[in-house]
Amino acid sequence: MKPASFDYHDPSSLDEALELMAQFGDDARPLAGGQSLVPLMNFRLLRPAHLVDLNRIDALSYVREKNGALYIGAMTRQRQLERAPAVAQRWLLLQEATAFIGHVQIRNRGTVGGSLAHAFPSAELPIAMATLDASMVLQSKKTRRVVSAEEFFVSTMSTAIEPGELLTEIRVPAPPDHAGSSYKEVNRRHGDFALAAAAALVALDDSGRIVRCRLTFAGATPLRAREVERSLVGEMPSAALFEEAARHATEKLEQDSDVHASAEYRRQASATLARRALSQAAERAAQRARGAVQ
């Protein structure tokens, strides 16, 4: 199919793009990598009157480390994030999650900001950003605000972005000392959307006890297992501990049934993935601690 008729705009600066978004409001859609937007337009599920192409705005494409935190421009290609040395060294969770997105050709074109703004329930980057306590910079012609990942993801394919606003930057705080992370998902074949996914971050103190934990599942929005996170603080990592934590975290996990998998299958798969992610994250944290001692 072909998209419905629209007016195309090709700004070369962020100011110009924000001016267009302010002018057209709800009638405008920004075009980033187009990996999600264009198919929706082709099926006429979306019919924007104006398309604002952001691809000439080089100022929105970067991966920078500053004062221990990671700053990612919204137009940064997913493949660029996946291959960034700083990401591999300190934010391995982002690298692992990004590697599950489609295929290399898709990641070469798809953008970090585009994936987050699309907010598809099975998408990898929203889960990773929620686990890492990232925040999003939302900018309009007149305002600029920063919202947490928890505030950003509102419901299925719905975010806190208001008409006239653009997601311009993602900020990921420095990981805790002696922290490890892990991302796990299961899908029908490589490159497909996840049927279930879990991400974990575990930080240990000098005695090897857990001092911080994050556990997130795929759902209508990224689903944090906050009660389980709190219960793990102060405990010594063990296979039995993580198996029980994963079981408890997924007992009432909100999942949907569709032609690909039932809600019950997704809950069971999520429990297995959570156990594996927590175990690997804790092992990586222990390795970092041993390296620091050496």
Side-chain angles (χ1 to χ4, degrees):
M1 294 182 66
K2 296 182 179 179
S5 178
F6 61 88
D7 290 335
Y8 174 79
H9 306 272
D10 189 25
S12 59
S13 70
L14 177 58
D15 287 343
E16 187 181 352
L18 293 174
E19 177 68 37
L20 290 166
M21 295 299 294
Q23 179 181 348
F24 300 120
D26 277 336
D27 291 330
R29 284 275 180 165
L31 173 64
Q35 304 301 290
S36 301
L37 177 61
V38 171
L40 290 175
M41 291 175 61
N42 285 342
F43 282 108
R44 302 204 175 189
L45 297 173
L46 285 178
R47 301 186 179 202
H50 299 271
L51 204 60
V52 181
D53 191 340
L54 307 179
N55 281 276
R56 286 208 300 147
I57 307 177
D58 294 336
L60 291 180
S61 178
Y62 54 86
V63 179
R64 300 172 185 153
E65 188 176 0
K66 182 180 178 181
N67 298 327
L70 188 69
Y71 294 78
I72 307 166
M75 286 297 293
T76 301
R77 305 296 169 179
Q78 294 156 359
R79 184 65 168 161
Q80 182 182 351
L81 178 69
E82 181 185 3
R83 301 181 70 181
V87 173
Q89 292 171 7
R90 303 193 64 199
W91 291 274
L92 182 61
L93 180 61
L94 285 179
Q95 185 186 63
E96 288 187 334
T98 304
F100 276 99
I101 299 174
H103 302 280
V104 171
Q105 294 89 337
I106 290 174
R107 299 196 297 275
N108 280 338
R109 186 65 186 172
T111 64
V112 176
S115 177
L116 295 173
H118 186 56
F120 194 77
S122 298
E124 291 80 5
L125 286 179
I127 301 170
M129 294 300 181
T131 306
L132 295 171
D133 294 321
S135 56
M136 321 297 174
V137 178
L138 306 181
Q139 195 167 342
S140 70
K141 181 181 177 181
K142 295 182 178 180
T143 64
R144 190 170 186 264
R145 60 193 179 106
V146 181
V147 301
S148 67
E150 183 177 6
E151 299 171 305
F152 182 77
F153 300 108
V154 176
S155 62
T156 301
M157 298 176 69
S158 177
T159 70
I161 301 175
E162 298 287 348
E165 284 186 327
L166 291 174
L167 169 60
T168 58
E169 184 178 71
I170 302 92
R171 299 174 179 175
V172 187
D177 293 336
H178 303 171
S181 63
S182 178
Y183 178 88
K184 302 291 183 183
E185 77 171 50
V186 60
N187 44 37
R188 295 175 64 237
R189 57 192 172 186
H190 177 70
D192 283 1
F193 281 115
L195 298 177
L201 182 144
V202 175
L204 307 177
D205 64 14
D206 292 338
S207 68
R209 293 187 180 275
I210 299 171
V211 293
R212 186 176 178 185
C213 179
R214 296 289 185 271
L215 179 62
T216 310
F217 296 96
T221 63
L223 302 173
R224 285 275 298 275
R226 296 184 182 277
E227 183 180 339
V228 168
E229 292 174 355
R230 291 190 292 268
S231 72
L232 290 175
V233 173
E235 300 289 342
M236 291 294 294
S238 70
L241 176 71
F242 292 143
E243 183 171 2
E244 176 61 20
R247 184 193 64 78
H248 183 63
T250 55
E251 278 179 334
K252 299 180 180 179
L253 186 67
E254 295 182 8
Q255 298 287 279
D256 293 327
S257 294
D258 55 29
V259 296
H260 301 298
S262 67
E264 183 56 30
Y265 170 82
R266 285 188 162 97
R267 274 189 287 271
Q268 292 181 8
S270 295
T272 299
L273 296 174
R275 173 177 56 80
R276 293 174 179 174
L278 286 167
S279 296
Q280 187 172 55
E283 176 57 31
R284 287 172 171 173
Q287 291 173 354
R288 285 185 177 274
R290 289 194 293 268
V293 171
Q294 293 172 359

